[in-house]
């Protein structure tokens, strides 16, 4: 399992946003300082207030609107699924396409930034159609 921990400035707003893009809030891992958001059986995001985040590390919380520490990528089953998630993110308080779209015959990806600026890439790929080596892409 993977748990992506993200510091957020407004827990209720972020919870609503992540529900809009397809995650489900798990009440077992949620309280007034955190929302455990489930994307799948193996992928979860922990949305943490800044005070809660600081109980795990004393490092500075970067402004994700101005810098990027990670780029999180989730796959979809189709190009239409990619568009649906990113367009929903844009309508739900996030920013659609902060990075350029990537489009190859075998792969398609777009991205969104959540209300705190954390960037998520949503991609579809047909491995059977991919070239045998990366330099042939």
């Amino acid at each position: 399992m993977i748990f992506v921990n993200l510091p957020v400035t407004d827990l209720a707003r972020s919870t609503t946003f992540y529900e809009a893009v397809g995650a489900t809030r798990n009440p077992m891992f949620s309280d007034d300082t955190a929302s455990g958001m489930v994307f799948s059986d193996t992928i979860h995001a922990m949305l943490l207030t800044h005070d809660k985040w600081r109980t795990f590390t004393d490092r500075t919380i970067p402004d994700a609107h101005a810098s990027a520490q990670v780029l999180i990528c989730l796959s979809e089953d189709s190009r239409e699924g990619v568009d649906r998630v990113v367009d929903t993110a844009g309508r739900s308080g996030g920013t659609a396409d902060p990075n350029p779209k990537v489009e190859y015959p075998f792969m398609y990806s777009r991205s969104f930034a959540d209300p705190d600026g954390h960037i998520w890439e949503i991609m579809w790929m047909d491995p059977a159609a991919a070239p045998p080596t990366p330099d042939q892409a």
Side-chain angles (χ1 to χ4, degrees), residues 60-77:
T60 302
I61 297 171
D63 177 359
H65 292 286
S67 65
Q69 189 170 9
V70 297
L71 174 63
I72 306 156
C73 182
L74 297 176
S75 64
E76 277 291 322
D77 293 333

Side-chain angles (χ1 to χ4, degrees), residues 50-103:
H50 283 207
D51 287 341
K52 181 71 166 191
W53 176 270
R54 288 184 186 103
T55 67
F56 296 104
T57 181
D58 60 358
R59 291 188 177 195
T60 302
I61 297 171
D63 177 359
H65 292 286
S67 65
Q69 189 170 9
V70 297
L71 174 63
I72 306 156
C73 182
L74 297 176
S75 64
E76 277 291 322
D77 293 333
S78 66
R79 294 172 57 94
E80 295 78 20
V82 170
D83 289 337
R84 178 184 42 75
V85 171
V86 174
D87 293 343
T88 298
R91 288 190 309 271
S92 301
T95 302
D97 299 309
N99 297 326
K101 293 178 186 179
V102 175
E103 192 160 3

Side-chain angles (χ1 to χ4, degrees), residues 8-137:
V8 299
T9 56
D10 183 328
L11 184 60
R13 175 187 69 184
S14 293
T15 300
T16 299
F17 173 81
Y18 279 93
E19 288 173 331
V21 298
T24 304
R25 183 177 175 270
N26 182 342
M28 276 182 49
F29 297 104
S30 302
D31 59 21
D32 61 341
T33 66
S35 284
M37 306 304 295
V38 179
F39 286 97
S40 73
D41 290 341
T42 57
I43 302 170
H44 304 256
M46 291 299 298
L47 309 177
L48 306 170
T49 64
H50 283 207
D51 287 341
K52 181 71 166 191
W53 176 270
R54 288 184 186 103
T55 67
F56 296 104
T57 181
D58 60 358
R59 291 188 177 195
T60 302
I61 297 171
D63 177 359
H65 292 286
S67 65
Q69 189 170 9
V70 297
L71 174 63
I72 306 156
C73 182
L74 297 176
S75 64
E76 277 291 322
D77 293 333
S78 66
R79 294 172 57 94
E80 295 78 20
V82 170
D83 289 337
R84 178 184 42 75
V85 171
V86 174
D87 293 343
T88 298
R91 288 190 309 271
S92 301
T95 302
D97 299 309
N99 297 326
K101 293 178 186 179
V102 175
E103 192 160 3
Y104 298 106
F106 64 93
M107 186 178 82
Y108 176 67
S109 72
R110 294 176 63 192
S111 59
F112 69 81
D114 73 7
D116 288 281
H118 304 292
I119 298 173
W120 292 74
E121 181 181 32
I122 309 299
M123 58 87 65
W124 162 84
M125 184 170 58
D126 177 3
T133 62
D135 62 328
Q136 294 175 334

